[in-house]
Amino acid sequence: MIPATRFRLVLVGIVIIAGFLLLLHRLWTLQIERQDSFILKLPETDKVRQRVPGTRGRILDSGGTELARNETCLEIGLNLAAAEAAWNEREKAKPKSQRRSIPKYSYDSKKESATDIIAILNEIVFPELNRIGLYEKPSPEQVRKIYEWYLTYKGVVPYPYVRNLLQADQAKFELIAAYAENATAIPGITIQERPKRRYPLRALGGHFIGYLRETRTEKPPESEGSWDFFESDDVGQAGIEKIENDVLRGKPGERVWLKNEHGRLTEEIESLRRDPLPGGDVYLTIDARAQIIAENTMREAKVGRGAAVVMNVHTGEILAMVSLPSYDPNIFIPPQDVDAING
């Protein structure tokens, strides 16, 4: 027979163990199984919405040859507002006697002051990039642009720190991997895909294909809703790119991020992610082979200025259109070839 004292101890132990098991079960239910539902109940001020531009559709000839296509690039951005929030967060963690006021600088003749974002980057972002061998000292012109970017957008549009990292390029892919590995540890660093327009036939048909203007900082249409930070779609400026712009432009997606009490982005709410949709392809009656033959014929004949049209007399379809002198639409894609544009 078990003594009464020992029986009570066993009973108390069983109750304690059962209580711990019940507590663990409750914690698992709240923090794991019902995590998404509680995230959705967070106040709106704790969520940040990011607009993700859609991929532009292709322009093709009658046989499916690509006259305009996209290459997937990665872009390293600096969310300047997030970098400022990280600086403030770090200072608030110090004892009051050691806290510093945020650095300021005067930016116009009226001696108006603003946050010295370059000083903040030099303190908490650039040293980390330098530590892992990814820092490139900004030129005086880049410094000026970062100041202007901060004053104008202040985190609404990430500053493009490194552009056009092609995944197919092995050296650049290693650079991408290094950024991605350290992005979460460096305040304000963002990594995202961005399509880059390419015109594989270069100057052939450039006058009717047209070109794009990068418009990442223009406010999206109000019909799309409001965004905390965004990147706009590129816009066609001439030729088919302009005429069929509404068909070619993609439908934007959305990413939603959590923001802590210090204004710093912490993690993405993946259940709320909405991927962008690609734009529609546009097929032309143009035959790329006929276009090449027509343009080469005129160039071999040393026609400096002139035009020619090749038409199917039975259907009226335009098979080739030549206008000389012509231009390569690729020169308008950042980084722009300023000399070629001005020439």
Side-chain angles (χ1 to χ4, degrees), residues 32-84:
I32 306 299
E33 294 182 354
R34 298 180 60 189
Q35 180 185 40
D36 290 343
S37 63
F38 282 109
I39 286 175
L40 294 175
K41 292 179 181 178
L42 288 172
E44 287 298 317
T45 53
D46 291 336
K47 285 190 262 184
V48 174
R49 299 175 63 221
Q50 173 192 4
R51 182 186 191 274
V52 181
T55 303
R56 198 169 176 85
R58 301 173 300 166
I59 300 175
L60 308 103
D61 81 340
S62 57
T65 298
E66 292 179 328
L67 305 178
R69 66 178 184 222
N70 303 293
E71 291 181 352
T72 300
C73 298
L74 287 189
E75 183 170 285
I76 312 302
L78 288 177
N79 187 323
L80 302 178
E84 181 181 1

Side-chain angles (χ1 to χ4, degrees), residues 128-129 131-134 175-187 189 191:
E128 290 300 308
L129 292 176
R131 179 180 60 81
I132 56 179
L134 297 176
L175 187 62
I176 293 168
Y179 270 109
E181 184 179 347
N182 294 276
T184 56
I186 304 176
I189 290 290
I191 301 178

Side-chain angles (χ1 to χ4, degrees), residues 19-20 29 43 66 94 102 111 124 133 147 160 163 173 178 199 244 247 267-268 272 286 315 337:
F20 272 115
T29 302
E66 292 179 328
K94 297 178 180 178
I102 197 161
K111 302 300 181 182
I124 67 171
Y147 276 129
R163 298 187 182 187
F173 181 79
Y199 302 96
E244 299 294 338
V247 175
E267 61 179 311
E268 181 184 358
L272 297 181
I286 295 293
T315 63
D337 188 337

